[in-house]
Coordinates of all heavy atoms in Angstrom, one line a residue:
M8 N 31.3 9.3 9.4 CA 30.8 8.2 8.6 C 31.8 7.8 7.6 O 32.5 8.6 6.9 CB 29.5 8.8 7.8 CG 28.8 7.7 7.0 SD 27.7 6.7 8.0 CE 26.2 7.6 7.5
L9 N 32.0 6.5 7.5 CA 33.0 6.0 6.5 C 32.5 6.2 5.1 O 31.3 5.9 4.8 CB 33.2 4.5 6.8 CG 34.3 3.9 6.0 CD1 35.7 4.1 6.7 CD2 34.1 2.4 5.8
T10 N 33.4 6.6 4.2 CA 33.0 6.6 2.8 C 33.8 5.7 2.0 O 35.0 5.4 2.4 CB 33.1 8.0 2.2 OG1 34.5 8.4 2.4 CG2 32.2 9.0 2.9
C11 N 33.3 5.1 1.0 CA 34.0 4.1 0.2 C 33.3 4.0 -1.1 O 32.1 4.4 -1.2 CB 34.1 2.8 0.9 SG 32.6 2.1 1.5
P12 N 33.9 3.5 -2.1 CA 33.3 3.4 -3.4 C 31.9 2.7 -3.3 O 31.8 1.7 -2.6 CB 34.2 2.6 -4.3 CG 35.6 2.8 -3.6 CD 35.3 2.9 -2.1
S13 N 30.9 3.2 -4.0 CA 29.6 2.7 -3.9 C 29.5 1.2 -4.3 O 28.7 0.4 -3.7 CB 28.6 3.5 -4.6 OG 28.9 3.5 -6.0
D14 N 30.3 0.8 -5.2 CA 30.1 -0.6 -5.7 C 30.7 -1.5 -4.6 O 30.3 -2.7 -4.5 CB 30.8 -0.8 -7.0 CG 32.3 -0.4 -7.0 OD1 32.7 0.3 -6.1 OD2 33.0 -0.8 -7.9
F15 N 31.6 -1.0 -3.8 CA 32.2 -1.8 -2.7 C 31.2 -1.9 -1.6 O 30.8 -2.9 -1.0 CB 33.5 -1.2 -2.2 CG 34.0 -1.9 -1.0 CD1 34.8 -3.0 -1.0 CD2 33.8 -1.3 0.3 CE1 35.3 -3.6 0.1 CE2 34.3 -1.9 1.4 CZ 35.0 -3.0 1.3
C16 N 30.7 -0.7 -1.2 CA 29.8 -0.7 0.0 C 28.4 -1.3 -0.3 O 27.8 -1.8 0.6 CB 29.5 0.8 0.4 SG 31.0 1.5 1.1
Q17 N 28.0 -1.3 -1.5 CA 26.7 -1.8 -1.9 C 26.5 -3.2 -1.4 O 25.5 -3.5 -0.8 CB 26.5 -1.7 -3.4 CG 25.1 -1.8 -3.8 CD 24.3 -0.6 -3.4 OE1 24.8 0.5 -3.4 NE2 23.0 -0.8 -3.0
G18 N 27.5 -4.0 -1.7 CA 27.3 -5.4 -1.4 C 27.4 -5.7 0.1 O 27.0 -6.8 0.6
C19 N 27.9 -4.8 0.8 CA 28.2 -5.0 2.3 C 27.1 -4.3 3.1 O 27.3 -4.3 4.4 CB 29.5 -4.5 2.6 SG 30.8 -5.6 2.0
R20 N 26.2 -3.7 2.6 CA 25.2 -3.0 3.3 C 24.0 -3.9 3.7 O 23.5 -4.6 2.9 CB 24.7 -1.8 2.5 CG 24.1 -0.7 3.3 CD 23.7 0.5 2.4 NE 24.9 1.4 2.1 CZ 24.9 2.2 1.1 NH1 24.0 2.2 0.2 NH2 26.0 3.0 0.9
T21 N 23.6 -3.8 5.0 CA 22.5 -4.6 5.4 C 21.2 -3.9 4.9 O 21.2 -2.8 4.4 CB 22.4 -4.7 6.9 OG1 22.1 -3.4 7.5 CG2 23.7 -5.2 7.5
R22 N 20.1 -4.7 5.1 CA 18.8 -4.0 4.8 C 18.5 -3.1 6.0 O 19.2 -3.0 7.0 CB 17.7 -5.1 4.7 CG 17.4 -5.8 6.0 CD 16.3 -6.8 5.8 NE 15.9 -7.5 7.0 CZ 15.1 -7.0 8.0 NH1 14.6 -5.7 7.9 NH2 14.8 -7.7 9.1
W23 N 17.4 -2.3 5.9 CA 17.0 -1.4 6.9 C 16.4 -2.3 8.1 O 15.6 -3.2 7.8 CB 16.0 -0.4 6.4 CG 16.6 0.6 5.5 CD1 16.6 0.6 4.1 CD2 17.3 1.8 5.9 NE1 17.2 1.7 3.6 CE2 17.7 2.4 4.7 CE3 17.7 2.3 7.1 CZ2 18.5 3.6 4.7 CZ3 18.5 3.5 7.1 CH2 18.8 4.1 5.9
F24 N 16.7 -1.9 9.3 CA 16.2 -2.5 10.4 C 15.4 -1.5 11.2 O 15.8 -0.4 11.5 CB 17.3 -3.1 11.4 CG 18.1 -4.2 10.7 CD1 19.4 -3.9 10.3 CD2 17.6 -5.4 10.5 CE1 20.2 -4.8 9.7 CE2 18.4 -6.4 9.9 CZ 19.7 -6.1 9.5
N25 N 14.2 -1.9 11.7 CA 13.4 -1.1 12.6 C 12.9 -2.0 13.7 O 11.9 -2.7 13.6 CB 12.2 -0.5 11.8 CG 11.4 0.4 12.7 OD1 11.8 0.8 13.8 ND2 10.2 0.8 12.3
S26 N 13.7 -2.1 14.8 CA 13.4 -3.1 15.8 C 12.7 -2.5 17.0 O 12.3 -3.2 17.9 CB 14.7 -3.7 16.3 OG 15.6 -2.7 16.8
D27 N 12.5 -1.2 17.0 CA 11.8 -0.6 18.2 C 11.0 0.6 17.7 O 11.1 1.0 16.5 CB 12.9 -0.1 19.2 CG 12.4 0.3 20.5 OD1 11.2 -0.1 20.9 OD2 13.0 1.1 21.2
N28 N 10.2 1.1 18.6 CA 9.5 2.4 18.2 C 9.5 3.3 19.5 O 9.9 2.8 20.5 CB 8.0 2.1 17.8 CG 7.2 1.5 18.9 OD1 7.0 2.1 20.0 ND2 6.7 0.3 18.7
P29 N 9.2 4.6 19.3 CA 9.5 5.5 20.4 C 8.3 5.5 21.4 O 8.3 6.5 22.2 CB 9.6 6.9 19.6 CG 8.9 6.7 18.3 CD 8.9 5.2 18.0
T30 N 7.5 4.5 21.5 CA 6.4 4.6 22.4 C 6.9 4.6 23.9 O 6.3 5.2 24.7 CB 5.5 3.3 22.2 OG1 5.1 3.3 20.8 CG2 4.3 3.4 23.1
G31 N 7.9 3.8 24.1 CA 8.4 3.7 25.5 C 9.4 4.9 25.9 O 9.0 6.0 25.7
Q32 N 10.6 4.6 26.3 CA 11.5 5.6 26.7 C 12.2 6.3 25.5 O 12.8 7.3 25.7 CB 12.6 5.0 27.6 CG 11.9 4.5 28.9 CD 13.0 4.0 29.9 OE1 14.2 3.9 29.6 NE2 12.6 3.9 31.2
G33 N 12.1 5.6 24.4 CA 12.8 6.2 23.2 C 12.8 5.2 22.1 O 12.3 4.1 22.3
D34 N 13.5 5.5 21.0 CA 13.6 4.6 19.9 C 15.0 4.0 19.9 O 16.0 4.7 19.7 CB 13.4 5.3 18.6 CG 13.2 4.3 17.4 OD1 12.7 3.2 17.7 OD2 13.5 4.7 16.3
Y35 N 15.1 2.7 20.3 CA 16.4 2.1 20.5 C 16.7 1.1 19.3 O 16.1 0.1 19.2 CB 16.5 1.3 21.8 CG 16.5 2.2 23.0 CD1 15.3 2.7 23.6 CD2 17.7 2.6 23.6 CE1 15.4 3.5 24.7 CE2 17.8 3.4 24.7 CZ 16.6 3.8 25.3 OH 16.6 4.6 26.4
E36 N 17.6 1.6 18.5 CA 18.0 0.7 17.3 C 19.5 0.5 17.5 O 20.3 0.6 16.6 CB 17.8 1.4 16.0 CG 16.4 1.9 15.8 CD 15.4 0.7 15.6 OE1 15.8 -0.4 15.4 OE2 14.2 1.0 15.7
T37 N 19.9 0.0 18.7 CA 21.3 -0.2 19.0 C 21.7 -1.5 18.3 O 20.9 -2.3 17.9 CB 21.6 -0.4 20.5 OG1 20.8 -1.5 21.0 CG2 21.1 0.8 21.3
L38 N 23.0 -1.6 18.1 CA 23.6 -2.8 17.4 C 23.1 -4.1 18.2 O 22.7 -5.0 17.6 CB 25.1 -2.7 17.3 CG 25.8 -3.8 16.6 CD1 25.2 -4.0 15.2 CD2 27.3 -3.6 16.6
L39 N 23.2 -4.0 19.5 CA 22.9 -5.2 20.3 C 21.4 -5.5 20.1 O 21.0 -6.7 20.0 CB 23.1 -4.9 21.8 CG 24.6 -5.1 22.2 CD1 24.8 -4.7 23.7 CD2 25.1 -6.5 22.0
Q40 N 20.6 -4.5 20.1 CA 19.1 -4.7 19.9 C 18.8 -5.3 18.6 O 18.1 -6.3 18.4 CB 18.4 -3.4 20.1 CG 17.0 -3.3 19.5 CD 16.0 -3.6 20.6 OE1 16.3 -3.8 21.8 NE2 14.7 -3.6 20.2
V41 N 19.5 -4.8 17.5 CA 19.2 -5.3 16.2 C 19.7 -6.7 16.1 O 19.1 -7.6 15.5 CB 19.9 -4.4 15.1 CG1 19.9 -5.0 13.7 CG2 19.2 -3.0 15.1
Q42 N 20.9 -7.0 16.7 CA 21.5 -8.4 16.6 C 20.5 -9.3 17.3 O 20.4 -10.5 17.0 CB 22.8 -8.4 17.3 CG 23.9 -7.8 16.4 CD 25.2 -7.6 17.1 OE1 25.3 -7.5 18.3 NE2 26.3 -7.6 16.3
M43 N 19.9 -8.8 18.4 CA 19.0 -9.7 19.2 C 17.7 -10.0 18.4 O 17.2 -11.1 18.3 CB 18.7 -9.0 20.5 CG 18.0 -9.9 21.5 SD 17.9 -9.1 23.1 CE 16.9 -7.7 22.8
V44 N 17.2 -9.0 17.8 CA 15.9 -9.1 17.1 C 16.1 -9.8 15.7 O 15.2 -10.6 15.2 CB 15.2 -7.8 16.9 CG1 13.9 -7.9 16.1 CG2 14.9 -7.2 18.3
Y45 N 17.2 -9.5 15.1 CA 17.5 -10.1 13.7 C 18.8 -10.8 13.7 O 19.8 -10.4 13.1 CB 17.5 -9.0 12.7 CG 16.2 -8.1 12.6 CD1 16.2 -6.9 13.3 CD2 15.1 -8.6 12.0 CE1 15.1 -6.1 13.2 CE2 14.0 -7.8 12.0 CZ 13.9 -6.6 12.6 OH 12.8 -5.8 12.6
P46 N 18.9 -11.9 14.4 CA 20.2 -12.6 14.5 C 20.7 -13.0 13.1 O 19.9 -13.4 12.3 CB 19.9 -13.8 15.4 CG 18.4 -14.0 15.4 CD 17.8 -12.6 15.1
S47 N 22.0 -12.9 12.9 CA 22.7 -13.3 11.7 C 22.5 -12.4 10.5 O 23.0 -12.6 9.5 CB 22.4 -14.7 11.3 OG 21.2 -14.8 10.6
Q48 N 21.7 -11.3 10.7 CA 21.4 -10.4 9.6 C 22.3 -9.2 9.7 O 22.3 -8.4 8.8 CB 19.9 -10.0 9.6 CG 19.0 -11.1 9.2 CD 17.6 -10.7 9.0 OE1 17.4 -9.6 8.4 NE2 16.6 -11.5 9.5
V49 N 23.1 -9.1 10.7 CA 24.0 -7.9 10.8 C 25.3 -8.5 11.4 O 25.3 -9.4 12.2 CB 23.4 -6.8 11.7 CG1 23.2 -7.2 13.1 CG2 24.3 -5.6 11.6
C50 N 26.4 -7.9 11.0 CA 27.7 -8.3 11.4 C 28.0 -7.8 12.9 O 27.3 -6.9 13.3 CB 28.8 -7.8 10.5 SG 28.7 -6.1 10.2
S51 N 29.0 -8.4 13.5 CA 29.2 -8.0 14.9 C 30.0 -6.7 15.0 O 30.0 -6.0 16.0 CB 30.0 -9.1 15.7 OG 31.1 -9.4 15.0
Q52 N 30.8 -6.3 13.9 CA 31.6 -5.1 13.9 C 31.3 -4.3 12.6 O 32.2 -4.3 11.7 CB 33.1 -5.5 14.0 CG 33.4 -6.1 15.4 CD 34.8 -6.5 15.5 OE1 35.4 -7.2 14.7 NE2 35.5 -6.0 16.6
P53 N 30.2 -3.6 12.6 CA 30.0 -2.8 11.4 C 31.0 -1.7 11.2 O 31.6 -1.3 12.2 CB 28.6 -2.2 11.7 CG 28.0 -3.1 12.7 CD 29.1 -3.6 13.5
V54 N 31.2 -1.2 10.0 CA 32.1 -0.1 9.8 C 31.4 1.2 9.6 O 32.0 2.3 9.6 CB 33.0 -0.4 8.6 CG1 33.9 -1.6 8.9 CG2 32.2 -0.6 7.3
A55 N 30.1 1.2 9.4 CA 29.3 2.4 9.2 C 27.8 2.1 9.5 O 27.4 1.0 9.5 CB 29.4 2.9 7.8
I56 N 27.1 3.2 9.9 CA 25.7 3.1 10.1 C 25.0 4.3 9.5 O 25.6 5.4 9.4 CB 25.4 3.1 11.7 CG1 23.9 3.0 12.0 CG2 26.0 4.3 12.3 CD1 23.6 2.8 13.4
E57 N 23.8 4.1 9.1 CA 22.9 5.2 8.6 C 21.6 5.1 9.3 O 21.1 4.0 9.6 CB 22.6 5.0 7.1 CG 23.8 5.2 6.2 CD 23.4 4.8 4.8 OE1 22.7 5.6 4.1 OE2 23.7 3.7 4.4
A58 N 21.0 6.2 9.6 CA 19.7 6.2 10.3 C 18.8 7.2 9.6 O 19.2 8.3 9.2 CB 19.8 6.6 11.7
M59 N 17.5 6.8 9.4 CA 16.5 7.8 8.9 C 15.2 7.4 9.5 O 15.0 6.3 10.1 CB 16.5 7.8 7.4 CG 16.0 6.5 6.7 SD 15.6 6.8 5.0 CE 17.2 7.2 4.3
T60 N 14.3 8.3 9.5 CA 13.0 8.0 10.0 C 12.3 7.0 9.1 O 12.6 6.8 8.0 CB 12.1 9.3 10.1 OG1 11.7 9.7 8.8 CG2 12.8 10.4 10.8
V61 N 11.3 6.4 9.6 CA 10.6 5.4 8.8 C 9.9 6.0 7.6 O 9.6 5.3 6.6 CB 9.5 4.6 9.7 CG1 10.2 3.7 10.7 CG2 8.5 5.5 10.3
S62 N 9.7 7.3 7.7 CA 9.1 8.0 6.5 C 10.2 8.5 5.6 O 9.8 9.1 4.6 CB 8.2 9.1 7.0 OG 8.9 10.0 7.8
G63 N 11.5 8.3 5.9 CA 12.5 8.6 4.9 C 13.3 9.9 5.1 O 14.0 10.3 4.3
V64 N 13.1 10.5 6.3 CA 13.9 11.8 6.6 C 15.2 11.4 7.2 O 15.2 10.7 8.2 CB 13.1 12.7 7.5 CG1 13.9 13.9 7.8 CG2 11.7 13.0 6.9
P65 N 16.3 11.9 6.6 CA 17.6 11.6 7.2 C 17.7 12.0 8.7 O 17.1 13.1 9.0 CB 18.6 12.4 6.4 CG 17.9 12.6 5.1 CD 16.4 12.6 5.4
A66 N 18.4 11.2 9.5 CA 18.3 11.5 11.0 C 18.8 12.9 11.3 O 18.3 13.5 12.2 CB 19.2 10.4 11.7
H67 N 19.8 13.4 10.6 CA 20.4 14.7 11.0 C 19.5 15.8 10.6 O 19.8 17.0 11.0 CB 21.8 14.8 10.4 CG 21.8 15.0 8.9 ND1 21.8 13.9 8.0 CD2 21.7 16.0 8.1 CE1 21.8 14.3 6.8 NE2 21.7 15.6 6.8
K68 N 18.4 15.6 9.9 CA 17.5 16.7 9.6 C 16.3 16.7 10.4 O 15.4 17.6 10.3 CB 17.1 16.5 8.1 CG 18.2 16.8 7.1 CD 17.6 16.8 5.7 CE 18.8 17.2 4.7 NZ 18.3 17.1 3.3
T69 N 16.1 15.8 11.4 CA 14.9 15.8 12.2 C 15.0 16.8 13.4 O 13.9 17.1 14.0 CB 14.7 14.4 12.8 OG1 15.7 14.0 13.6 CG2 14.5 13.4 11.7
G70 N 16.2 17.2 13.8 CA 16.3 18.0 15.0 C 16.3 17.2 16.3 O 16.5 17.8 17.4
D71 N 16.1 15.9 16.2 CA 16.2 15.1 17.5 C 17.6 15.0 17.9 O 18.5 15.2 17.1 CB 15.6 13.7 17.2 CG 14.1 13.7 17.1 OD1 13.5 14.7 17.4 OD2 13.6 12.6 16.8
I72 N 17.8 14.8 19.2 CA 19.1 14.6 19.8 C 19.3 13.1 20.0 O 18.4 12.4 20.6 CB 19.2 15.4 21.1 CG1 19.2 16.9 20.8 CG2 20.5 15.0 21.9 CD1 19.0 17.8 22.0
F73 N 20.5 12.6 19.6 CA 20.7 11.2 19.7 C 21.7 10.8 20.8 O 22.8 11.4 20.9 CB 21.2 10.6 18.3 CG 20.3 11.1 17.2 CD1 20.9 11.7 16.1 CD2 19.0 10.8 17.2 CE1 20.1 12.1 15.0 CE2 18.1 11.2 16.2 CZ 18.7 11.9 15.1
Q74 N 21.3 9.9 21.6 CA 22.2 9.5 22.7 C 23.4 8.7 22.1 O 24.5 8.8 22.5 CB 21.4 8.6 23.7 CG 22.3 8.2 24.9 CD 21.5 7.4 25.9 OE1 21.0 6.3 25.6 NE2 21.2 8.0 27.0
V75 N 23.1 7.9 21.1 CA 24.0 7.0 20.4 C 23.8 7.1 18.9 O 22.7 7.0 18.5 CB 23.9 5.6 20.9 CG1 24.9 4.7 20.2 CG2 24.1 5.4 22.4
Y76 N 24.9 7.3 18.2 CA 24.7 7.2 16.7 C 26.1 6.9 16.1 O 26.8 7.8 15.7 CB 24.1 8.5 16.1 CG 23.8 8.4 14.7 CD1 23.8 7.3 13.9 CD2 23.5 9.6 14.0 CE1 23.5 7.2 12.6 CE2 23.1 9.6 12.6 CZ 23.2 8.4 11.9 OH 22.8 8.4 10.6
D77 N 26.5 5.7 16.2 CA 27.8 5.3 15.6 C 27.8 3.8 15.3 O 27.0 3.1 15.7 CB 29.0 5.6 16.6 CG 29.0 4.9 17.8 OD1 29.0 3.6 17.8 OD2 28.8 5.5 18.9
A78 N 28.8 3.4 14.4 CA 28.8 2.1 13.9 C 29.0 1.0 15.0 O 28.6 -0.1 14.9 CB 29.8 2.0 12.8
T79 N 29.7 1.4 16.0 CA 30.1 0.5 17.1 C 28.9 0.1 18.0 O 28.7 -1.0 18.3 CB 31.2 1.0 18.0 OG1 32.3 1.4 17.1 CG2 31.7 0.0 19.0
H80 N 28.1 1.1 18.3 CA 27.0 0.9 19.2 C 25.6 1.0 18.6 O 24.6 0.6 19.3 CB 27.1 2.0 20.3 CG 28.4 2.0 21.1 ND1 29.4 2.9 20.8 CD2 28.9 1.1 22.0 CE1 30.5 2.6 21.6 NE2 30.2 1.5 22.3
G81 N 25.5 1.5 17.4 CA 24.2 1.6 16.8 C 23.6 3.0 17.0 O 24.3 4.0 17.0
F82 N 22.3 3.0 17.3 CA 21.5 4.2 17.3 C 20.5 4.2 18.5 O 19.9 3.2 18.7 CB 20.8 4.4 16.0 CG 19.9 5.6 15.9 CD1 20.3 6.8 15.3 CD2 18.6 5.5 16.3 CE1 19.5 7.9 15.3 CE2 17.7 6.6 16.3 CZ 18.2 7.8 15.7
A83 N 20.4 5.3 19.1 CA 19.4 5.5 20.2 C 18.9 6.9 20.3 O 19.7 7.8 20.4 CB 19.9 4.9 21.5
C84 N 17.6 7.1 20.3 CA 17.0 8.4 20.6 C 16.2 8.3 21.8 O 15.2 7.5 21.9 CB 16.2 8.8 19.4 SG 15.5 10.5 19.6
V85 N 16.5 9.0 22.9 CA 15.9 8.9 24.2 C 14.9 10.1 24.3 O 15.4 11.2 24.3 CB 16.9 8.8 25.3 CG1 16.2 8.7 26.7 CG2 17.9 7.6 25.1
T86 N 13.7 9.8 24.5 CA 12.7 10.9 24.6 C 13.0 11.9 25.7 O 12.8 13.1 25.5 CB 11.3 10.2 24.8 OG1 11.0 9.5 23.6 CG2 10.2 11.3 25.0
A87 N 13.5 11.4 26.8 CA 13.7 12.3 28.0 C 14.8 13.3 27.7 O 14.9 14.3 28.3 CB 14.2 11.5 29.2
E88 N 15.6 13.1 26.6 CA 16.7 14.0 26.3 C 16.3 15.0 25.2 O 17.1 15.8 24.8 CB 17.9 13.2 25.8 CG 18.5 12.3 26.9 CD 19.7 11.5 26.4 OE1 20.0 11.5 25.2 OE2 20.3 10.8 27.2
Q89 N 15.1 14.9 24.7 CA 14.7 15.8 23.7 C 14.2 17.2 24.2 O 13.6 17.2 25.3 CB 13.5 15.2 22.8 CG 13.9 13.9 22.3 CD 15.2 13.9 21.5 OE1 15.5 14.7 20.6 NE2 16.1 12.9 21.9
P90 N 14.6 18.3 23.5 CA 14.2 19.6 24.0 C 12.7 19.8 23.9 O 12.0 19.2 23.0 CB 14.9 20.5 23.1 CG 15.2 19.7 21.8 CD 15.4 18.3 22.3
G91 N 12.1 20.5 24.9 CA 10.7 20.8 24.8 C 9.8 19.6 25.1 O 8.6 19.6 24.8
G92 N 10.3 18.5 25.5 CA 9.6 17.3 25.9 C 8.9 16.6 24.7 O 8.0 15.8 24.8
K93 N 9.4 16.9 23.5 CA 8.8 16.2 22.3 C 9.4 14.8 22.2 O 10.4 14.5 22.7 CB 9.1 17.0 21.1 CG 10.5 16.9 20.5 CD 10.6 17.7 19.2 CE 12.0 17.7 18.6 NZ 12.2 16.5 17.9
R94 N 8.6 13.9 21.6 CA 8.9 12.5 21.5 C 9.9 12.3 20.3 O 9.7 13.0 19.3 CB 7.6 11.7 21.3 CG 7.9 10.2 21.2 CD 6.5 9.5 21.1 NE 5.9 9.4 22.3 CZ 4.7 8.7 22.5 NH1 4.1 8.1 21.5 NH2 4.2 8.6 23.7
C95 N 10.8 11.3 20.5 CA 11.6 10.9 19.4 C 10.8 10.4 18.2 O 9.7 9.8 18.4 CB 12.5 9.8 19.8 SG 13.9 10.3 20.9
Q96 N 11.2 10.6 17.0 CA 10.6 10.0 15.9 C 11.0 8.6 15.8 O 11.8 8.1 16.5 CB 11.0 10.8 14.6 CG 10.6 12.2 14.6 CD 10.5 12.9 13.2 OE1 10.0 12.3 12.3 NE2 11.1 14.1 13.1
D97 N 10.3 7.8 14.9 CA 10.6 6.4 14.7 C 11.6 6.3 13.7 O 11.4 6.7 12.5 CB 9.3 5.7 14.4 CG 9.5 4.2 14.5 OD1 10.6 3.7 14.9 OD2 8.6 3.4 14.1
Y98 N 12.8 5.7 14.0 CA 13.9 5.6 13.1 C 14.1 4.1 12.7 O 13.8 3.2 13.4 CB 15.2 6.1 13.7 CG 15.2 7.6 14.0 CD1 14.7 8.1 15.2 CD2 15.6 8.5 13.0 CE1 14.6 9.4 15.4 CE2 15.6 9.9 13.3 CZ 15.1 10.3 14.5 OH 15.0 11.7 14.7
K99 N 14.8 4.0 11.5 CA 15.3 2.7 11.0 C 16.8 2.9 10.8 O 17.2 4.0 10.5 CB 14.5 2.3 9.8 CG 14.6 3.2 8.6 CD 13.8 2.7 7.4 CE 13.8 3.7 6.3 NZ 13.0 3.3 5.1
V100 N 17.5 1.8 10.8 CA 18.9 1.9 10.6 C 19.4 0.8 9.7 O 18.7 -0.2 9.5 CB 19.7 1.8 12.0 CG1 19.4 2.9 12.9 CG2 19.5 0.4 12.6
R101 N 20.5 1.1 9.0 CA 21.2 0.0 8.3 C 22.7 0.2 8.5 O 23.2 1.3 8.8 CB 20.8 0.0 6.8 CG 21.3 1.2 6.0 CD 20.9 1.0 4.6 NE 21.3 2.2 3.8 CZ 20.9 2.4 2.5 NH1 20.3 1.4 1.9 NH2 21.3 3.4 1.9
F102 N 23.4 -0.9 8.4 CA 24.8 -1.0 8.7 C 25.6 -1.4 7.5 O 25.1 -2.0 6.6 CB 25.1 -2.0 9.8 CG 24.5 -1.7 11.1 CD1 23.2 -2.2 11.4 CD2 25.1 -0.9 12.0 CE1 22.6 -1.9 12.7 CE2 24.6 -0.6 13.3 CZ 23.3 -1.1 13.6
T103 N 26.8 -0.9 7.4 CA 27.8 -1.4 6.4 C 28.7 -2.3 7.1 O 29.3 -2.0 8.1 CB 28.6 -0.2 5.8 OG1 27.6 0.7 5.2 CG2 29.5 -0.8 4.7
C104 N 28.8 -3.5 6.6 CA 29.6 -4.6 7.2 C 30.9 -4.8 6.4 O 30.9 -4.5 5.2 CB 28.8 -5.9 7.3 SG 27.5 -5.7 8.5
P105 N 31.9 -5.4 7.1 CA 33.1 -5.8 6.3 C 32.8 -6.7 5.2 O 31.8 -7.5 5.3 CB 34.0 -6.5 7.4 CG 33.5 -6.0 8.7 CD 32.0 -5.7 8.5
L106 N 33.6 -6.6 4.1 CA 33.3 -7.4 2.9 C 33.1 -8.9 3.2 O 32.3 -9.6 2.6 CB 34.4 -7.2 1.9 CG 34.1 -7.7 0.5 CD1 32.9 -7.1 -0.1 CD2 35.3 -7.4 -0.4
A107 N 33.9 -9.4 4.2 CA 33.9 -10.8 4.5 C 32.5 -11.3 5.0 O 32.1 -12.4 4.7 CB 34.9 -11.1 5.6
F108 N 31.8 -10.4 5.7 CA 30.5 -10.7 6.2 C 29.5 -10.9 5.0 O 28.6 -11.8 5.0 CB 30.0 -9.6 7.1 CG 28.6 -9.9 7.6 CD1 28.3 -10.7 8.6 CD2 27.5 -9.2 7.0 CE1 27.0 -10.9 9.1 CE2 26.2 -9.4 7.4 CZ 26.0 -10.3 8.5
C109 N 29.6 -10.0 4.0 CA 28.7 -10.0 2.9 C 28.9 -11.1 1.9 O 28.0 -11.5 1.1 CB 28.7 -8.7 2.2 SG 28.6 -7.3 3.3
S110 N 30.1 -11.6 1.8 CA 30.4 -12.6 0.8 C 30.2 -14.0 1.3 O 30.3 -15.0 0.6 CB 31.9 -12.5 0.3 OG 32.7 -12.6 1.5
V111 N 29.7 -14.2 2.6 CA 29.4 -15.5 3.1 C 28.2 -16.1 2.4 O 27.2 -15.4 2.2 CB 29.1 -15.4 4.6 CG1 28.4 -16.7 5.1 CG2 30.3 -15.1 5.4
Ligands
LIG30 CA1 12.5 2.5 15.2

């Protein structure tokens, strides 16, 4: 995860997106998916991503296994990959975008 001064990152951070739920094969909050559902609200090349459950638990504390979790591709939790056959939780994501995107 990229770290940078909070006053810099603050202006470049998107709102939280929740474009899918785990009812189907998993919870897919990939960058492509978010761009498709919320066009123009996220940059094409984010520098960082954060994910947490819709109830506010940070993604790394849930014990779920993530197929994808990076700024380039976004986030995906696939139910078939979870131990014990448990279902993925419902996650939301937000991205940090280059300053140029936020100053538009
Ligand atoms: Ca979700």
Side-chain angles (χ1 to χ4, degrees):
M8 187 84 99
L9 187 85
T10 57
C11 51
S13 61
D14 57 345
F15 172 83
C16 291
Q17 197 66 39
C19 285
R20 200 175 278 157
T21 68
R22 68 175 182 84
W23 289 100
F24 299 107
N25 182 15
S26 62
D27 191 22
N28 65 59
T30 306
Q32 297 188 345
D34 194 29
Y35 290 87
E36 307 291 348
T37 62
L38 182 58
L39 280 176
Q40 164 95 1
V41 170
Q42 285 172 333
M43 193 170 61
V44 178
Y45 305 99
S47 82
Q48 293 189 37
V49 64
C50 50
S51 56
Q52 295 180 305
V54 295
I56 182 175
E57 292 169 80
M59 67 168 64
T60 70
V61 292
S62 57
V64 179
H67 67 273
K68 289 190 175 172
T69 62
D71 285 354
I72 292 166
F73 309 125
Q74 184 178 66
V75 176
Y76 187 12
D77 64 61
T79 305
H80 302 102
F82 176 93
C84 184
V85 179
T86 295
E88 296 180 354
Q89 303 310 308
K93 77 183 178 75
R94 179 179 284 184
C95 288
Q96 300 198 44
D97 192 5
Y98 294 89
K99 58 184 179 179
V100 297
R101 69 179 174 184
F102 296 91
T103 301
C104 290
L106 191 58
F108 177 81
C109 308
S110 56
V111 168

